[in-house]
Amino acid sequence: MKNPFNARAPSFDAQVINETIQRALASAGLDTQAGPMHGVTETIRRALAGGHVTEAASRFGAEPVIDVAARVVPAGDGASVLADREPSIGETRQRRGSFEAREFSNDAGTRAYKVYVPAAAADAPRAMLVMLHGCTQSVDDFAAGTQMNRLADEHGFLVVYPEQAAHANPSKCWNWFKPQDQRRGAGEPSLIAGIVREVAQRHGADPRRIFVAGLSAGAAMAVVLGETYPELFAAVGAHSGLPYGSAHDIPSALAAMKGGRSGMPGLKNVPGAAGTPPRKAVQAVPVIVFHGDRDHTVQPTNGARIVQQARDAHGAQMADRSLRVSTHAGVTPGGRRFSRTVHADVAGQARIESWSLHGAGHAWSGGHASGSYTDGTGPDASAEMVRFFMALPRAGSA
């Protein structure tokens, strides 16, 4: 069928069309009153008011807003805690590390980034964790919410926070769904890999202990990096993310976020929105996955598919293809129920770990309320990811 956005009519009722679009977005579970989708609907509304339906469609296609506003836990008691905050009176006073702002450029463009270096001297090359923020977030916001710099002080590793540029995506989402950003040596994967190599060389990081983790679009990009640069990243952490190759444009990204099904009437008829199988992941990189089972922004089936991709890749590369699976259920002190499933090799080493957070939405588990998209009920995703990463044998040392 013809693209409905390109249809022309001698006249139309802008109000009716706008209301129809609003109903369609609402039926897909998208909040059009706040967050990134508000900007999209405003663009459509203004275009309709001016009589330019085709222009509205063009703007939508040019602005890949693929994440929507999720539950944000406000700071309690008016707290305002930054990533490089001063310790409170009750905290152990120690020298803080440095939080350095830099830029990296290659043929794919330029991206800003920050590096957190713990104050304590290192007696050996440091491990390094790359943290990829979600849509609408900044590196400072993400650092504050995840509290990864505090864990870096405790464990002595470097933390690198690449920042998506607004000119690359107006909502500052990593473009995990674009084919050119799913390949080695191109696009955003090459930019992030270049940042990592630059920091590793400057600070003498241990090349066998470089890890990448992210939230939402950042988690989806972390999965892409594990597949495209397996020799660089020793493991991946994906919180509320999507599997590799699950989308190739905006319609298919929206469908993937909704669990592979179109929640928007008529979207399944848009070319590329459905019917295209996910690209196969083949790299057996260890992965830890967190996902809330009440996540209505990125459906939890996506977390399960990340795990399945990892199981398939490990099965194809391991001499003993079977991973031993064990599951533990628990409750955090904050009252959050969770299920933790570990997939271990014959030696007992965890290769895949997944956490299903019962009743949780689209937010970093155990995060601090000073950052956006956090849920302080726990479990502490930051601490558990660090534990998983540090327990892995160094590449080439086994």
Side-chain angles (χ1 to χ4, degrees), residues 22 25 30-46 63 65 67-69 171:
Q22 294 284 346
L25 294 172
L30 302 179
D31 181 5
T32 62
Q33 302 304 311
M37 288 305 299
H38 179 64
V40 175
T41 55
E42 278 297 296
T43 297
I44 295 172
R45 183 190 62 76
R46 289 194 299 270
E63 298 183 6
V65 180
D67 206 350
V68 297
S171 290

Side-chain angles (χ1 to χ4, degrees), residues 80-89 91-100 114-121 126 140 143-144 147-154 156-159:
S80 178
V81 185
L82 300 178
D84 56 350
R85 64 190 175 95
E86 292 289 345
S88 66
I89 295 175
E91 290 179 316
T92 301
R93 293 190 177 274
Q94 60 183 14
R95 289 190 302 131
R96 291 181 303 163
S98 63
F99 208 12
E100 309 166 359
K114 278 192 169 183
V115 183
Y116 185 77
V117 183
R126 298 182 189 271
D140 292 307
Q147 291 286 287
M148 200 58 80
N149 294 354
R150 176 182 57 79
L151 289 169
D153 283 330
E154 293 179 13
F157 56 84
L158 301 162
V159 193

Side-chain angles (χ1 to χ4, degrees), residues 17 45 57 82 87 92 112 118 129 157 177 209 211 213 227 253 270 281 304 315:
I17 294 175
R45 183 190 62 76
L82 300 178
T92 301
L129 176 54
F157 56 84
F177 54 92
R209 293 195 299 160
F211 314 101
E227 179 65 22
V270 177

Side-chain angles (χ1 to χ4, degrees), residues 291-353:
H291 218 118
D293 65 9
R294 295 293 179 89
D295 188 340
H296 300 303
T297 300
V298 178
Q299 289 292 321
T301 51
N302 286 288
R305 288 169 183 162
I306 295 173
V307 171
Q308 188 58 56
Q309 278 190 343
R311 282 189 60 87
D312 292 345
H314 278 82
Q317 292 191 17
M318 293 169 56
D320 180 352
R321 298 195 173 192
S322 60
L323 290 171
R324 282 66 173 172
V325 182
S326 60
T327 300
H328 166 73
V331 182
T332 69
R336 172 76 68 218
R337 294 187 304 109
F338 64 86
S339 298
R340 171 179 172 246
T341 300
V342 177
H343 306 251
D345 59 25
V346 66
Q349 174 64 55
R351 306 293 298 177
I352 305 165
E353 186 170 312

Side-chain angles (χ1 to χ4, degrees), residues 7-14 17 48 51 53:
R8 292 183 179 273
S11 64
F12 59 85
D13 189 327
I17 294 175
L48 288 172
V53 178

Side-chain angles (χ1 to χ4, degrees), residues 70-317:
R71 180 159 57 94
V72 179
V73 180
D77 299 325
S80 178
V81 185
L82 300 178
D84 56 350
R85 64 190 175 95
E86 292 289 345
S88 66
I89 295 175
E91 290 179 316
T92 301
R93 293 190 177 274
Q94 60 183 14
R95 289 190 302 131
R96 291 181 303 163
S98 63
F99 208 12
E100 309 166 359
R102 295 183 177 273
E103 278 191 349
F104 174 82
S105 298
N106 67 8
D107 291 342
T110 300
R111 293 296 183 275
Y113 67 93
K114 278 192 169 183
V115 183
Y116 185 77
V117 183
D123 55 5
R126 298 182 189 271
M128 185 164 73
L129 176 54
V130 182
M131 294 289 287
L132 301 177
H133 62 77
C135 296
T136 75
Q137 292 183 310
S138 68
V139 296
D140 292 307
D141 176 18
F142 196 42
T146 61
Q147 291 286 287
M148 200 58 80
N149 294 354
R150 176 182 57 79
L151 289 169
D153 283 330
E154 293 179 13
H155 298 277
F157 56 84
L158 301 162
V159 193
V160 183
Y161 299 90
E163 186 159 52
Q164 177 63 304
H167 66 77
N169 186 295
S171 290
K172 299 186 70 177
C173 307
W174 295 102
N175 292 307
W176 58 273
F177 54 92
K178 292 184 175 181
Q180 63 267 34
D181 294 307
Q182 297 173 353
R183 299 196 301 265
R184 180 184 180 90
E188 292 172 3
S190 73
L191 281 164
I192 297 169
I195 289 170
V196 171
R197 291 183 176 124
E198 180 175 274
V199 174
Q201 182 177 18
R202 181 184 303 122
H203 293 281
D206 185 344
R208 300 170 299 173
R209 293 195 299 160
I210 298 175
F211 314 101
V212 60
L215 170 66
S216 192
M221 183 55 72
V223 171
V224 169
L225 289 166
E227 179 65 22
T228 54
Y229 291 91
E231 82 291 352
L232 185 58
F233 298 103
V236 171
H239 199 312
S240 310
L242 297 101
Y244 175 69
S246 55
H248 55 274
D249 55 15
I250 295 172
S252 59
L254 288 167
M257 289 165 63
K258 293 301 174 185
R261 301 179 304 277
S262 170
M264 190 180 296
L267 185 62
K268 64 183 178 180
N269 297 320
V270 177
T276 301
R279 188 174 298 173
K280 185 177 180 180
V282 299
Q283 302 298 337
V285 177
V287 62
I288 179 169
V289 176
F290 278 78
H291 218 118
D293 65 9
R294 295 293 179 89
D295 188 340
H296 300 303
T297 300
V298 178
Q299 289 292 321
T301 51
N302 286 288
R305 288 169 183 162
I306 295 173
V307 171
Q308 188 58 56
Q309 278 190 343
R311 282 189 60 87
D312 292 345
H314 278 82
Q317 292 191 17

